[in-house]
Structure formats: C-alpha cells, structure tokens
C-alpha cells in the first residue's frame, strides 16, 4: 500500500490502541489478539499496536491499517517507543507500513532521531513514520524532519509535560499545533468519551487514538474506583 493510500485510509478515523506490556494482565499474545478481535467486531477501522509477537498475531486476523511500535526500556534513556533502528527493522520485517516512534528531544538509547529518519527515508521510502510528541518543540522538530504523521501521544509522559495529559490541556495544545503544519495531527491521550473524539475531529485532527477507555479493563476499573473515592 502506498503512503498516500494509507493516509487516505486512516484519515478522520478513530484509531483503537490495543497494547499491553511488562506486567499488564493482558500482556499475552492470545489475550491481546482477542482484545483486538473484539474491537474489530465492534467496528474498529485502524489499530495502533505494539510488540512484534502481538502485532504478528493480530495481523493474521485482520487487514486493517496498523500503526506499529515497539516499547522497550533502556537503562541510558527515557525513550521507550521504537527508540532504535533495530526496532524499526523488526517492525518492517513483519510487514508494518506505519511506524510510531518517540520524537521528543530527549536523549536516545542509541541512534539519534535524524539518523533514524534518514535511514528509513533512504532505505524504505514507502514506510510512514509517526512522531509521538509531548510539546511544541517536539512538534516543530518533527515538522523539520518531515514525519508523515504527528501525534500528541507523549504529552504528560515527559518531565517537562508532567500533569498536562488531561484532555483540556490537550485541546489547547492541539489547537496550537494544528496552526503550525499541514502534516496530519493525531490526537492521543486522556480521551475517555465519544464526545471528545467528535470534538477533536471538529478541531481539525486527522485521527484520534483511544486506548485505555476501550482496551484496558484494569485502567477502566481504577477510574471508577478513583472517582468514587473523591465523590
């Protein structure tokens, strides 16, 4: 599938994130595949997936567009989303056409961001890259590096943006970055209600990612109990 066709297929679509890593109860190939199957039967049109074995399994049950990534902890870096060329290669080798990666300005575990982008564009020109950003500086850098998609994924997950992952802060941030570029903006983070998805599309987002509110029963349950404790 060409870059243009992929972007057309995901434009103005709700993207469902089905991910589980580390000690999460659903970090199991069979379990996460069943979660993906459930959201597909519910009408999902685009998926955001992590971990090679999980993605490979889910690819066997669907032909939907997939935004793929690998989450991995490194001792020398806070970057955990597709941080190296090696992980890029692993995703390409299983057929992922769109790869999401940490595009913050933080110190990286090995390859610097410019090196990774140049490597992919030169060796795999038909692969799309999504920049997972946290702030305006990340977005400006992603624009300069000519990423194909820009997401708000890491807002609230860096030291500089801690506490800014609620949806009201994201709205202000998204309005600001939409004015900076024509690159498709993908909203992600703090989205719990269908109304919010609709509002984000009306703002001008090309896509909206929802994960925890749909595919993470542990987080959904905790949210209910946390609400009850303060009300």
């Amino acid at each position: 599938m060409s870059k243009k066709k992929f972007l057309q297929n995901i434009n103005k679509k709700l993207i469902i994130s089905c991910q589980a890593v580390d000690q999460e109860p659903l970090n199991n190939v069979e379990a996460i595949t069943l979660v993906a199957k459930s959201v597909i039967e519910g009408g999902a049109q685009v998926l955001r997936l992590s971990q090679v074995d999980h993605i490979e399994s889910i690819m066997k049950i669907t032909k939907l567009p997939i935004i793929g990534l690998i989450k991995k902890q490194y001792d020398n870096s806070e970057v955990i989303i597709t941080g190296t060329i090696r992980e890029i290669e692993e995703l390409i080798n299983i057929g992922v056409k769109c790869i999401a990666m940490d595009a913050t300005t933080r110190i990286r575990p090995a390859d610097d961001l410019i090196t990774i982008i140049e490597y992919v564009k030169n060796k795999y020109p038909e692969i799309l890259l999504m920049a997972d950003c946290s702030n305006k500086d990340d977005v400006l850098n992603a624009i300069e590096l000519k990423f194909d998609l820009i997401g708000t994924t890491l807002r609230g997950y860096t030291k500089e943006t801690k506490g800014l992952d609620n949806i009201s802060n994201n709205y202000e941030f998204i309005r600001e970055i939409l004015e900076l570029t024509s690159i498709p903006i993908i909203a992600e983070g703090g989205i719990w209600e269908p109304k919010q998805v609709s509002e984000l599309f009306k703002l001008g987002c090309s896509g909206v990612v929802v994960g925890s509110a749909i595919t993470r029963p542990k987080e959904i349950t905790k949210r209910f109990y946390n609400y009850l404790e303060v009300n």
Side-chain angles (χ1 to χ4, degrees):
M1 184 187 301
S2 68
K3 282 187 173 184
K4 182 178 180 181
K5 183 66 173 176
F6 188 96
L7 291 172
Q8 287 175 342
N9 286 349
I10 71 170
N11 188 47
K12 297 300 179 183
K13 299 288 175 61
L14 172 62
I15 301 164
I16 308 300
S17 176
C18 297
Q19 300 182 53
V21 297
D22 300 327
Q23 303 306 310
E24 292 185 64
L26 293 175
N27 186 12
N28 171 281
V29 172
E30 183 177 357
I32 203 68
T33 303
L34 288 173
V35 172
K37 187 174 187 293
S38 296
V39 300
I40 292 166
E41 290 184 1
Q45 296 173 301
V46 187
L47 301 174
R48 180 174 161 113
L49 309 174
S50 71
Q51 313 313 91
V52 167
D53 53 348
H54 294 185
I55 298 171
E56 280 189 303
S57 178
I58 294 168
M59 279 181 161
K60 293 176 183 177
I61 65 167
T62 184
K63 298 297 183 183
L64 289 178
I66 290 170
I67 299 171
L69 58 116
I70 294 175
K71 288 183 177 177
K72 185 175 180 179
Q73 301 278 352
Y74 285 92
D75 293 334
N76 64 337
S77 174
E78 295 176 352
V79 169
I80 64 170
I81 299 178
T82 321
T84 69
I85 287 174
R86 179 179 179 178
E87 290 152 9
I88 294 277
E89 288 281 3
E90 289 178 9
L91 291 166
I92 291 173
N93 286 341
I94 63 170
V96 174
K97 303 301 182 186
C98 182
I99 297 173
M101 59 185 298
D102 184 307
T104 65
T105 56
R106 296 180 292 183
I107 295 173
R108 305 185 68 80
D111 316 297
D112 64 71
L113 197 55
I114 294 175
T115 299
I116 295 175
I117 300 305
E118 290 180 346
Y119 176 84
V120 175
K121 288 186 178 294
N122 290 331
K123 190 173 181 180
Y124 305 105
E126 286 305 308
I127 295 297
L128 292 101
L129 294 175
M130 176 174 171
D132 286 349
C133 298
S134 70
N135 59 30
K136 185 178 178 180
D137 288 340
D138 297 341
V139 172
L140 290 171
N141 192 43
I143 294 168
E144 185 175 345
L145 292 175
K146 295 181 171 57
F147 272 87
D148 301 288
L149 300 160
I150 294 175
T152 61
T153 317
L154 291 170
R155 189 158 183 80
Y157 290 91
T158 63
K159 291 176 181 177
E160 296 78 13
T161 62
K162 187 175 181 180
L164 297 179
D165 54 340
N166 65 70
I167 194 64
S168 60
N169 283 315
N170 274 343
Y171 276 19
E172 294 176 18
F173 177 54
I174 290 165
R175 286 191 185 96
E176 182 179 13
I177 63 176
L178 280 167
E179 295 179 358
L180 298 176
T181 182
S182 60
I183 295 173
I185 300 296
I186 308 295
E188 181 173 5
I191 302 164
W192 285 89
E193 305 294 339
K195 180 182 177 182
Q196 294 168 338
V197 176
S198 177
E199 290 170 346
L200 288 163
F201 279 130
K202 289 176 182 176
L203 280 182
C205 293
S206 295
V208 179
V209 177
V210 176
S212 296
I214 295 175
T215 61
R216 298 178 72 190
K218 177 180 174 181
E219 298 305 316
I220 296 168
T221 305
K222 285 169 60 177
R223 187 167 180 261
F224 272 86
Y225 277 99
N226 289 340
Y227 178 85
L228 290 172
E229 287 176 2
V230 298
N231 288 279

